[in-house]
Amino acid sequence: MQDIVKAIRSLTEGETDSVALMATVACEVHHAMPQADWTGFYRVVAPELLKIGPYQGGHGCLVIPFSRGVCGACARTGAVQNVPDVDAFPGHIACASSTRSELVLPVFNGAGRLLAVFDIDSDTPAAFSKADEDWLVPLLADVFRHAE
């Protein structure tokens, strides 16, 4: 994954617009992870509310409250959610009925403000590992550190 990390850092260097950063990261990660069937961002647009942002794949849910689903849990807690079986996750929101596993990471700017959550869905059970978290968490922190 070092190649994709290097490419994303190069593509986003100096950019501060969060939507431009999200679009680039979603595209690059989606194409770098063959297990990803949907890759995108849900932006914090109001207290306790996420709305869909840039993504790759089929349609996603338009609005997700912090109180619902895997994305909501990530936004609410600020913690990575790596769910190997979405059917076993209480309150899972099925934006696509084919989704079997999900990795959702919080996206903070350098000031510590939650900008979004980064959601990667797979039609394969247990598609994401701790190793995926280990390269994505620092990448997101670096790319979005100066985001507006």
Side-chain angles (χ1 to χ4, degrees), residues 9-54:
R9 285 189 170 136
S10 175
L11 289 166
T12 59
E13 187 175 346
E15 183 57 64
T16 60
D17 181 82
S18 60
V19 173
L21 293 168
M22 289 176 197
T24 302
V25 171
C27 178
E28 293 298 320
V29 170
H30 186 75
H31 292 290
M33 297 181 81
Q35 73 272 38
D37 292 290
W38 192 94
T39 308
F41 290 85
Y42 284 96
R43 302 169 298 115
V44 176
V45 295
E48 308 290 311
L49 188 65
L50 300 167
K51 282 198 178 179
I52 197 161

mmCIF file of all heavy atoms in Angstrom, residues 9-54:
data_model
loop_
_atom_site.group_PDB
_atom_site.id
_atom_site.type_symbol
_atom_site.label_atom_id
_atom_site.label_comp_id
_atom_site.label_asym_id
_atom_site.label_seq_id
_atom_site.Cartn_x
_atom_site.Cartn_y
_atom_site.Cartn_z
ATOM 1 N N ARG A 9 -0.642 11.214 -1.273
ATOM 2 C CA ARG A 9 0.047 12.368 -0.674
ATOM 3 C C ARG A 9 0.519 13.334 -1.751
ATOM 4 O O ARG A 9 0.426 14.549 -1.598
ATOM 5 C CB ARG A 9 1.201 11.901 0.201
ATOM 6 C CG ARG A 9 0.717 11.326 1.513
ATOM 7 C CD ARG A 9 1.839 11.061 2.480
ATOM 8 N NE ARG A 9 1.291 10.741 3.781
ATOM 9 C CZ ARG A 9 1.736 9.756 4.540
ATOM 10 N NH1 ARG A 9 2.732 9.006 4.147
ATOM 11 N NH2 ARG A 9 1.186 9.521 5.710
ATOM 12 N N SER A 10 1.009 12.798 -2.843
ATOM 13 C CA SER A 10 1.475 13.641 -3.948
ATOM 14 C C SER A 10 0.314 14.401 -4.593
ATOM 15 O O SER A 10 0.408 15.596 -4.862
ATOM 16 C CB SER A 10 2.191 12.778 -4.982
ATOM 17 O OG SER A 10 2.550 13.542 -6.096
ATOM 18 N N LEU A 11 -0.791 13.694 -4.836
ATOM 19 C CA LEU A 11 -1.954 14.315 -5.480
ATOM 20 C C LEU A 11 -2.608 15.387 -4.627
ATOM 21 O O LEU A 11 -3.204 16.333 -5.156
ATOM 22 C CB LEU A 11 -2.994 13.242 -5.822
ATOM 23 C CG LEU A 11 -2.640 12.291 -6.952
ATOM 24 C CD1 LEU A 11 -3.579 11.089 -6.948
ATOM 25 C CD2 LEU A 11 -2.696 13.015 -8.290
ATOM 26 N N THR A 12 -2.546 15.238 -3.309
ATOM 27 C CA THR A 12 -3.275 16.149 -2.421
ATOM 28 C C THR A 12 -2.395 17.211 -1.763
ATOM 29 O O THR A 12 -2.917 18.081 -1.058
ATOM 30 C CB THR A 12 -3.990 15.347 -1.311
ATOM 31 O OG1 THR A 12 -3.014 14.607 -0.557
ATOM 32 C CG2 THR A 12 -5.022 14.397 -1.909
ATOM 33 N N GLU A 13 -1.116 17.158 -2.007
ATOM 34 C CA GLU A 13 -0.197 18.096 -1.360
ATOM 35 C C GLU A 13 -0.602 19.546 -1.617
ATOM 36 O O GLU A 13 -0.835 19.963 -2.746
ATOM 37 C CB GLU A 13 1.231 17.877 -1.867
ATOM 38 C CG GLU A 13 2.247 18.694 -1.120
ATOM 39 C CD GLU A 13 3.666 18.383 -1.550
ATOM 40 O OE1 GLU A 13 3.888 17.370 -2.231
ATOM 41 O OE2 GLU A 13 4.545 19.187 -1.206
ATOM 42 N N GLY A 14 -0.735 20.300 -0.527
ATOM 43 C CA GLY A 14 -1.058 21.720 -0.620
ATOM 44 C C GLY A 14 -2.544 22.026 -0.742
ATOM 45 O O GLY A 14 -2.943 23.186 -0.646
ATOM 46 N N GLU A 15 -3.390 21.024 -0.947
ATOM 47 C CA GLU A 15 -4.830 21.248 -1.086
ATOM 48 C C GLU A 15 -5.472 21.360 0.293
ATOM 49 O O GLU A 15 -5.139 20.591 1.194
ATOM 50 C CB GLU A 15 -5.479 20.103 -1.866
ATOM 51 C CG GLU A 15 -6.957 20.281 -2.116
ATOM 52 C CD GLU A 15 -7.279 21.570 -2.846
ATOM 53 O OE1 GLU A 15 -6.847 21.721 -4.007
ATOM 54 O OE2 GLU A 15 -7.958 22.440 -2.255
ATOM 55 N N THR A 16 -6.381 22.311 0.469
ATOM 56 C CA THR A 16 -7.077 22.481 1.740
ATOM 57 C C THR A 16 -8.586 22.292 1.630
ATOM 58 O O THR A 16 -9.265 22.180 2.646
ATOM 59 C CB THR A 16 -6.807 23.878 2.333
ATOM 60 O OG1 THR A 16 -7.272 24.874 1.419
ATOM 61 C CG2 THR A 16 -5.322 24.074 2.625
ATOM 62 N N ASP A 17 -9.104 22.256 0.414
ATOM 63 C CA ASP A 17 -10.550 22.085 0.230
ATOM 64 C C ASP A 17 -10.933 20.650 0.557
ATOM 65 O O ASP A 17 -10.464 19.706 -0.095
ATOM 66 C CB ASP A 17 -10.946 22.432 -1.206
ATOM 67 C CG ASP A 17 -12.435 22.286 -1.418
ATOM 68 O OD1 ASP A 17 -13.174 23.228 -1.071
ATOM 69 O OD2 ASP A 17 -12.857 21.207 -1.894
ATOM 70 N N SER A 18 -11.787 20.482 1.546
ATOM 71 C CA SER A 18 -12.104 19.132 2.010
ATOM 72 C C SER A 18 -12.816 18.291 0.954
ATOM 73 O O SER A 18 -12.566 17.093 0.843
ATOM 74 C CB SER A 18 -12.923 19.175 3.300
ATOM 75 O OG SER A 18 -14.142 19.853 3.114
ATOM 76 N N VAL A 19 -13.676 18.884 0.144
ATOM 77 C CA VAL A 19 -14.384 18.108 -0.883
ATOM 78 C C VAL A 19 -13.413 17.628 -1.966
ATOM 79 O O VAL A 19 -13.490 16.485 -2.401
ATOM 80 C CB VAL A 19 -15.557 18.913 -1.484
ATOM 81 C CG1 VAL A 19 -16.179 18.180 -2.666
ATOM 82 C CG2 VAL A 19 -16.617 19.184 -0.417
ATOM 83 N N ALA A 20 -12.484 18.480 -2.372
ATOM 84 C CA ALA A 20 -11.478 18.066 -3.356
ATOM 85 C C ALA A 20 -10.622 16.935 -2.796
ATOM 86 O O ALA A 20 -10.314 15.960 -3.508
ATOM 87 C CB ALA A 20 -10.601 19.257 -3.747
ATOM 88 N N LEU A 21 -10.256 17.040 -1.534
ATOM 89 C CA LEU A 21 -9.470 15.981 -0.904
ATOM 90 C C LEU A 21 -10.266 14.682 -0.827
ATOM 91 O O LEU A 21 -9.748 13.602 -1.142
ATOM 92 C CB LEU A 21 -9.029 16.415 0.496
ATOM 93 C CG LEU A 21 -8.030 17.567 0.541
ATOM 94 C CD1 LEU A 21 -7.899 18.107 1.960
ATOM 95 C CD2 LEU A 21 -6.683 17.147 -0.012
ATOM 96 N N MET A 22 -11.520 14.779 -0.446
ATOM 97 C CA MET A 22 -12.368 13.592 -0.341
ATOM 98 C C MET A 22 -12.530 12.900 -1.688
ATOM 99 O O MET A 22 -12.449 11.674 -1.785
ATOM 100 C CB MET A 22 -13.744 13.967 0.225
ATOM 101 C CG MET A 22 -13.738 14.330 1.672
ATOM 102 S SD MET A 22 -15.399 14.855 2.196
ATOM 103 C CE MET A 22 -14.998 15.677 3.725
ATOM 104 N N ALA A 23 -12.751 13.681 -2.738
ATOM 105 C CA ALA A 23 -12.928 13.104 -4.070
ATOM 106 C C ALA A 23 -11.687 12.335 -4.507
ATOM 107 O O ALA A 23 -11.778 11.219 -5.035
ATOM 108 C CB ALA A 23 -13.256 14.207 -5.081
ATOM 109 N N THR A 24 -10.537 12.905 -4.270
ATOM 110 C CA THR A 24 -9.283 12.278 -4.674
ATOM 111 C C THR A 24 -9.015 11.017 -3.866
ATOM 112 O O THR A 24 -8.674 9.966 -4.423
ATOM 113 C CB THR A 24 -8.119 13.273 -4.525
ATOM 114 O OG1 THR A 24 -8.414 14.421 -5.331
ATOM 115 C CG2 THR A 24 -6.802 12.666 -4.957
ATOM 116 N N VAL A 25 -9.173 11.098 -2.546
ATOM 117 C CA VAL A 25 -8.927 9.934 -1.691
ATOM 118 C C VAL A 25 -9.899 8.806 -2.024
ATOM 119 O O VAL A 25 -9.492 7.642 -2.150
ATOM 120 C CB VAL A 25 -9.002 10.324 -0.197
ATOM 121 C CG1 VAL A 25 -8.977 9.089 0.695
ATOM 122 C CG2 VAL A 25 -7.863 11.263 0.167
ATOM 123 N N ALA A 26 -11.186 9.122 -2.180
ATOM 124 C CA ALA A 26 -12.181 8.081 -2.495
ATOM 125 C C ALA A 26 -11.820 7.355 -3.787
ATOM 126 O O ALA A 26 -11.849 6.122 -3.851
ATOM 127 C CB ALA A 26 -13.580 8.690 -2.595
ATOM 128 N N CYS A 27 -11.470 8.101 -4.801
ATOM 129 C CA CYS A 27 -11.121 7.508 -6.093
ATOM 130 C C CYS A 27 -9.891 6.614 -5.982
ATOM 131 O O CYS A 27 -9.902 5.461 -6.420
ATOM 132 C CB CYS A 27 -10.881 8.608 -7.117
ATOM 133 S SG CYS A 27 -10.384 7.993 -8.734
ATOM 134 N N GLU A 28 -8.841 7.140 -5.396
ATOM 135 C CA GLU A 28 -7.582 6.394 -5.337
ATOM 136 C C GLU A 28 -7.690 5.149 -4.459
ATOM 137 O O GLU A 28 -7.208 4.079 -4.833
ATOM 138 C CB GLU A 28 -6.456 7.307 -4.835
ATOM 139 C CG GLU A 28 -6.107 8.420 -5.808
ATOM 140 C CD GLU A 28 -5.587 7.927 -7.145
ATOM 141 O OE1 GLU A 28 -4.805 6.953 -7.165
ATOM 142 O OE2 GLU A 28 -5.957 8.514 -8.175
ATOM 143 N N VAL A 29 -8.324 5.266 -3.304
ATOM 144 C CA VAL A 29 -8.456 4.104 -2.416
ATOM 145 C C VAL A 29 -9.364 3.057 -3.046
ATOM 146 O O VAL A 29 -9.075 1.862 -3.001
ATOM 147 C CB VAL A 29 -8.958 4.533 -1.016
ATOM 148 C CG1 VAL A 29 -9.324 3.320 -0.165
ATOM 149 C CG2 VAL A 29 -7.895 5.376 -0.310
ATOM 150 N N HIS A 30 -10.449 3.493 -3.649
ATOM 151 C CA HIS A 30 -11.382 2.546 -4.273
ATOM 152 C C HIS A 30 -10.680 1.682 -5.325
ATOM 153 O O HIS A 30 -10.881 0.475 -5.370
ATOM 154 C CB HIS A 30 -12.553 3.306 -4.905
ATOM 155 C CG HIS A 30 -13.621 2.419 -5.432
ATOM 156 N ND1 HIS A 30 -14.510 1.762 -4.606
ATOM 157 C CD2 HIS A 30 -13.946 2.060 -6.695
ATOM 158 C CE1 HIS A 30 -15.340 1.048 -5.349
ATOM 159 N NE2 HIS A 30 -15.022 1.215 -6.616
ATOM 160 N N HIS A 31 -9.851 2.301 -6.125
ATOM 161 C CA HIS A 31 -9.172 1.561 -7.192
ATOM 162 C C HIS A 31 -7.969 0.762 -6.684
ATOM 163 O O HIS A 31 -7.514 -0.155 -7.356
ATOM 164 C CB HIS A 31 -8.784 2.502 -8.325
ATOM 165 C CG HIS A 31 -9.990 3.024 -9.036
ATOM 166 N ND1 HIS A 31 -10.794 2.255 -9.841
ATOM 167 C CD2 HIS A 31 -10.567 4.250 -9.025
ATOM 168 C CE1 HIS A 31 -11.795 2.966 -10.301
ATOM 169 N NE2 HIS A 31 -11.688 4.187 -9.817
ATOM 170 N N ALA A 32 -7.478 1.094 -5.488
ATOM 171 C CA ALA A 32 -6.334 0.377 -4.922
ATOM 172 C C ALA A 32 -6.747 -0.836 -4.082
ATOM 173 O O ALA A 32 -5.914 -1.700 -3.814
ATOM 174 C CB ALA A 32 -5.503 1.321 -4.051
ATOM 175 N N MET A 33 -8.009 -0.888 -3.679
ATOM 176 C CA MET A 33 -8.471 -1.969 -2.811
ATOM 177 C C MET A 33 -9.489 -2.822 -3.564
ATOM 178 O O MET A 33 -10.665 -2.455 -3.652
ATOM 179 C CB MET A 33 -9.099 -1.407 -1.530
ATOM 180 C CG MET A 33 -8.135 -0.630 -0.663
ATOM 181 S SD MET A 33 -8.894 -0.007 0.864
ATOM 182 C CE MET A 33 -8.825 -1.496 1.877
ATOM 183 N N PRO A 34 -9.068 -3.940 -4.113
ATOM 184 C CA PRO A 34 -9.977 -4.763 -4.916
ATOM 185 C C PRO A 34 -11.189 -5.273 -4.141
ATOM 186 O O PRO A 34 -12.229 -5.559 -4.742
ATOM 187 C CB PRO A 34 -9.102 -5.917 -5.399
ATOM 188 C CG PRO A 34 -7.873 -5.886 -4.577
ATOM 189 C CD PRO A 34 -7.724 -4.506 -4.027
ATOM 190 N N GLN A 35 -11.099 -5.345 -2.819
ATOM 191 C CA GLN A 35 -12.232 -5.811 -2.020
ATOM 192 C C GLN A 35 -13.275 -4.716 -1.799
ATOM 193 O O GLN A 35 -14.362 -4.981 -1.306
ATOM 194 C CB GLN A 35 -11.749 -6.389 -0.681
ATOM 195 C CG GLN A 35 -11.261 -5.378 0.343
ATOM 196 C CD GLN A 35 -9.789 -5.016 0.232
ATOM 197 O OE1 GLN A 35 -9.248 -4.899 -0.853
ATOM 198 N NE2 GLN A 35 -9.146 -4.813 1.375
ATOM 199 N N ALA A 36 -12.975 -3.485 -2.175
ATOM 200 C CA ALA A 36 -13.899 -2.360 -1.970
ATOM 201 C C ALA A 36 -14.950 -2.320 -3.075
ATOM 202 O O ALA A 36 -14.626 -2.251 -4.249
ATOM 203 C CB ALA A 36 -13.128 -1.042 -1.930
ATOM 204 N N ASP A 37 -16.204 -2.361 -2.659
ATOM 205 C CA ASP A 37 -17.306 -2.249 -3.621
ATOM 206 C C ASP A 37 -17.941 -0.866 -3.580
ATOM 207 O O ASP A 37 -18.606 -0.456 -4.521
ATOM 208 C CB ASP A 37 -18.350 -3.333 -3.341
ATOM 209 C CG ASP A 37 -17.790 -4.708 -3.647
ATOM 210 O OD1 ASP A 37 -17.584 -5.007 -4.835
ATOM 211 O OD2 ASP A 37 -17.522 -5.471 -2.696
ATOM 212 N N TRP A 38 -17.760 -0.161 -2.470
ATOM 213 C CA TRP A 38 -18.228 1.223 -2.336
ATOM 214 C C TRP A 38 -17.232 1.920 -1.422
ATOM 215 O O TRP A 38 -16.881 1.401 -0.356
ATOM 216 C CB TRP A 38 -19.625 1.284 -1.716
ATOM 217 C CG TRP A 38 -20.269 2.634 -1.811
ATOM 218 C CD1 TRP A 38 -21.113 3.054 -2.795
ATOM 219 C CD2 TRP A 38 -20.132 3.744 -0.902
ATOM 220 N NE1 TRP A 38 -21.500 4.361 -2.554
ATOM 221 C CE2 TRP A 38 -20.907 4.801 -1.401
ATOM 222 C CE3 TRP A 38 -19.420 3.951 0.271
ATOM 223 C CZ2 TRP A 38 -21.000 6.034 -0.760
ATOM 224 C CZ3 TRP A 38 -19.500 5.180 0.917
ATOM 225 C CH2 TRP A 38 -20.293 6.197 0.392
ATOM 226 N N THR A 39 -16.781 3.087 -1.843
ATOM 227 C CA THR A 39 -15.765 3.826 -1.092
ATOM 228 C C THR A 39 -16.146 5.294 -1.109
ATOM 229 O O THR A 39 -16.268 5.880 -2.187
ATOM 230 C CB THR A 39 -14.374 3.653 -1.759
ATOM 231 O OG1 THR A 39 -14.125 2.263 -1.950
ATOM 232 C CG2 THR A 39 -13.286 4.273 -0.916
ATOM 233 N N GLY A 40 -16.345 5.885 0.060
ATOM 234 C CA GLY A 40 -16.709 7.292 0.046
ATOM 235 C C GLY A 40 -16.795 7.916 1.415
ATOM 236 O O GLY A 40 -16.534 7.293 2.437
ATOM 237 N N PHE A 41 -17.167 9.169 1.393
ATOM 238 C CA PHE A 41 -17.222 9.988 2.592
ATOM 239 C C PHE A 41 -18.647 10.386 2.920
ATOM 240 O O PHE A 41 -19.459 10.639 2.030
ATOM 241 C CB PHE A 41 -16.398 11.264 2.389
ATOM 242 C CG PHE A 41 -14.924 11.010 2.337
ATOM 243 C CD1 PHE A 41 -14.309 10.649 1.149
ATOM 244 C CD2 PHE A 41 -14.145 11.118 3.480
ATOM 245 C CE1 PHE A 41 -12.948 10.405 1.094
ATOM 246 C CE2 PHE A 41 -12.779 10.881 3.439
ATOM 247 C CZ PHE A 41 -12.183 10.518 2.241
ATOM 248 N N TYR A 42 -18.912 10.449 4.214
ATOM 249 C CA TYR A 42 -20.123 11.070 4.731
ATOM 250 C C TYR A 42 -19.655 12.269 5.538
ATOM 251 O O TYR A 42 -18.908 12.140 6.501
ATOM 252 C CB TYR A 42 -20.933 10.095 5.595
ATOM 253 C CG TYR A 42 -21.666 9.094 4.751
ATOM 254 C CD1 TYR A 42 -21.134 7.835 4.496
ATOM 255 C CD2 TYR A 42 -22.885 9.426 4.159
ATOM 256 C CE1 TYR A 42 -21.800 6.926 3.696
ATOM 257 C CE2 TYR A 42 -23.560 8.518 3.352
ATOM 258 C CZ TYR A 42 -23.013 7.275 3.131
ATOM 259 O OH TYR A 42 -23.675 6.390 2.325
ATOM 260 N N ARG A 43 -20.076 13.471 5.096
ATOM 261 C CA ARG A 43 -19.618 14.728 5.673
ATOM 262 C C ARG A 43 -20.481 15.144 6.853
ATOM 263 O O ARG A 43 -21.698 14.965 6.830
ATOM 264 C CB ARG A 43 -19.688 15.834 4.619
ATOM 265 C CG ARG A 43 -18.875 15.559 3.371
ATOM 266 C CD ARG A 43 -19.184 16.541 2.245
ATOM 267 N NE ARG A 43 -20.589 16.451 1.829
ATOM 268 C CZ ARG A 43 -21.478 17.427 1.961
ATOM 269 N NH1 ARG A 43 -21.135 18.595 2.432
ATOM 270 N NH2 ARG A 43 -22.723 17.246 1.577
ATOM 271 N N VAL A 44 -19.847 15.724 7.861
ATOM 272 C CA VAL A 44 -20.579 16.302 8.980
ATOM 273 C C VAL A 44 -21.127 17.644 8.482
ATOM 274 O O VAL A 44 -20.365 18.533 8.122
ATOM 275 C CB VAL A 44 -19.668 16.521 10.206
ATOM 276 C CG1 VAL A 44 -20.441 17.213 11.330
ATOM 277 C CG2 VAL A 44 -19.059 15.206 10.670
ATOM 278 N N VAL A 45 -22.466 17.758 8.441
ATOM 279 C CA VAL A 45 -23.087 18.974 7.900
ATOM 280 C C VAL A 45 -23.887 19.745 8.942
ATOM 281 O O VAL A 45 -24.290 20.885 8.700
ATOM 282 C CB VAL A 45 -23.988 18.657 6.677
ATOM 283 C CG1 VAL A 45 -23.149 18.125 5.526
ATOM 284 C CG2 VAL A 45 -25.101 17.702 7.049
ATOM 285 N N ALA A 46 -24.147 19.122 10.074
ATOM 286 C CA ALA A 46 -24.892 19.748 11.160
ATOM 287 C C ALA A 46 -24.600 18.916 12.412
ATOM 288 O O ALA A 46 -24.046 17.818 12.298
ATOM 289 C CB ALA A 46 -26.398 19.749 10.851
ATOM 290 N N PRO A 47 -24.967 19.423 13.575
ATOM 291 C CA PRO A 47 -24.750 18.598 14.774
ATOM 292 C C PRO A 47 -25.433 17.234 14.627
ATOM 293 O O PRO A 47 -26.602 17.159 14.235
ATOM 294 C CB PRO A 47 -25.394 19.420 15.891
ATOM 295 C CG PRO A 47 -25.316 20.838 15.394
ATOM 296 C CD PRO A 47 -25.511 20.728 13.900
ATOM 297 N N GLU A 48 -24.645 16.189 14.853
ATOM 298 C CA GLU A 48 -25.172 14.820 14.839
ATOM 299 C C GLU A 48 -25.724 14.370 13.486
ATOM 300 O O GLU A 48 -26.573 13.484 13.435
ATOM 301 C CB GLU A 48 -26.272 14.659 15.903
ATOM 302 C CG GLU A 48 -25.883 15.117 17.288
ATOM 303 C CD GLU A 48 -24.861 14.206 17.950
ATOM 304 O OE1 GLU A 48 -25.061 12.993 17.953
ATOM 305 O OE2 GLU A 48 -23.846 14.725 18.448
ATOM 306 N N LEU A 49 -25.247 14.970 12.374
ATOM 307 C CA LEU A 49 -25.799 14.615 11.069
ATOM 308 C C LEU A 49 -24.711 14.504 9.995
ATOM 309 O O LEU A 49 -23.891 15.408 9.830
ATOM 310 C CB LEU A 49 -26.827 15.667 10.633
ATOM 311 C CG LEU A 49 -27.616 15.331 9.372
ATOM 312 C CD1 LEU A 49 -28.510 14.105 9.591
ATOM 313 C CD2 LEU A 49 -28.448 16.523 8.940
ATOM 314 N N LEU A 50 -24.750 13.392 9.272
ATOM 315 C CA LEU A 50 -23.850 13.150 8.143
ATOM 316 C C LEU A 50 -24.649 13.180 6.848
ATOM 317 O O LEU A 50 -25.792 12.719 6.799
ATOM 318 C CB LEU A 50 -23.210 11.757 8.262
ATOM 319 C CG LEU A 50 -22.369 11.470 9.498
ATOM 320 C CD1 LEU A 50 -22.091 9.972 9.612
ATOM 321 C CD2 LEU A 50 -21.074 12.253 9.440
ATOM 322 N N LYS A 51 -24.032 13.739 5.796
ATOM 323 C CA LYS A 51 -24.603 13.675 4.447
ATOM 324 C C LYS A 51 -23.541 13.155 3.504
ATOM 325 O O LYS A 51 -22.346 13.401 3.679
ATOM 326 C CB LYS A 51 -25.090 15.049 3.966
ATOM 327 C CG LYS A 51 -26.412 15.430 4.553
ATOM 328 C CD LYS A 51 -27.079 16.536 3.769
ATOM 329 C CE LYS A 51 -28.432 16.817 4.391
ATOM 330 N NZ LYS A 51 -29.126 17.885 3.689
ATOM 331 N N ILE A 52 -23.994 12.483 2.478
ATOM 332 C CA ILE A 52 -23.081 11.854 1.531
ATOM 333 C C ILE A 52 -22.168 12.892 0.874
ATOM 334 O O ILE A 52 -22.577 14.021 0.611
ATOM 335 C CB ILE A 52 -23.864 11.044 0.469
ATOM 336 C CG1 ILE A 52 -22.925 10.080 -0.239
ATOM 337 C CG2 ILE A 52 -24.613 11.951 -0.476
ATOM 338 C CD1 ILE A 52 -23.622 8.943 -0.940
ATOM 339 N N GLY A 53 -20.951 12.477 0.682
ATOM 340 C CA GLY A 53 -19.952 13.298 0.007
ATOM 341 C C GLY A 53 -19.402 12.539 -1.185
ATOM 342 O O GLY A 53 -20.047 11.609 -1.681
ATOM 343 N N PRO A 54 -18.230 12.883 -1.647
ATOM 344 C CA PRO A 54 -17.643 12.203 -2.799
ATOM 345 C C PRO A 54 -17.488 10.704 -2.544
ATOM 346 O O PRO A 54 -17.111 10.289 -1.443
ATOM 347 C CB PRO A 54 -16.276 12.872 -2.950
ATOM 348 C CG PRO A 54 -16.462 14.232 -2.349
ATOM 349 C CD PRO A 54 -17.389 14.013 -1.200
#
